[in-house]
C-alpha cells in the first residue's frame, strides 16, 4: 500500500511539474496536448541521468529530486504571481465544459467515450491483478529496470 501511495505521489509530482512548464511556455492547448508526452519522456530521462551520475537511482532518490523540481515550481509561482490567473483558469474551464457539453449531446460520441473508459478500466484491473507470466515481461521489461535499480544507475 505504501509503495502504491509513493508511486501515486511521484506521478503527481511529475505531471504537475510538466503541466506547469507547459503553462509557463504559454503554449496553445493543442500544442501543449501534443507536447505533453515528449516532455514526460524528457523529464524521466533528465531525472534518471541526474540520479545516475550520483549513483542514487532509487525510489527515495527519485522522490527527493522530484520534490526539488516541485519546490522550484512553487517558488516560481510565489515569486511571479499572476493576478488574472484565476480568471483565465475559470474562463478556460467554462469554455472547455461548453465544448464538451456540445460533444456529448451526440449519443454516438458519448457511447464511444463511455465504452472506451470501461475498456480501459477493465484492462487496468486485469493487468493489476494478473501476475507477470509472459516471457517478454520476465526477461526484458521487468529485468532491465530491476538491473538499473540494483546498480543505482542507468549507465
Amino acid at each position: 500500500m505504501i509503495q502504491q501511495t509513493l508511486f501515486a505521489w511521484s506521478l503527481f509530482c511529475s505531471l504537475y511539474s510538466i503541466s506547469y512548464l507547459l503553462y509557463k511556455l504559454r503554449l496553445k492547448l493543442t500544442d501543449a496536448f501534443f507536447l505533453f508526452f515528449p516532455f514526460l519522456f524528457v523529464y524521466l530521462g533528465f531525472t534518471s541521468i541526474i540520479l545516475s551520475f550520483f549513483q542514487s537511482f532509487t525510489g527515495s532518490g527519485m522522490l527527493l529530486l522530484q520534490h526539488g523540481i516541485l519546490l522550484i515550481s512553487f517558488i516560481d509561482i510565489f515569486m511571479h504571481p499572476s493576478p488574472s490567473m484565476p480568471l483565465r483558469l475559470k474562463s478556460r474551464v467554462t469554455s472547455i465544459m461548453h465544448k464538451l457539453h456540445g460533444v456529448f449531446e451526440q449519443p454516438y460520441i458519448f457511447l464511444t467515450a463511455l465504452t472506451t473508459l470501461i475498456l480501459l478500466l477493465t484492462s487496468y484491473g486485469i493487468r493489476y491483478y494478473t501476475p507477470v507470466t509472459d516471457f517478454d515481461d520476465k526477461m526484458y521489461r521487468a529485468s532491465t529496470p530491476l538491473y538499473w535499480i540494483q546498480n543505482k544507475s542507468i549507465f
Side-chain angles (χ1 to χ4, degrees), residues 14 18 25 45 55 74 86 89 105 153:
S14 62
I18 293 167
L25 291 174
Q55 293 288 319
F74 283 149
L89 184 64
E105 284 181 349
S153 174

Side-chain angles (χ1 to χ4, degrees), residues 59-74:
S60 59
M62 180 68 98
L63 278 174
L64 186 65
L65 182 61
Q66 285 182 326
H67 281 103
I69 294 170
L70 198 64
L71 182 65
I72 290 170
S73 65
F74 283 149

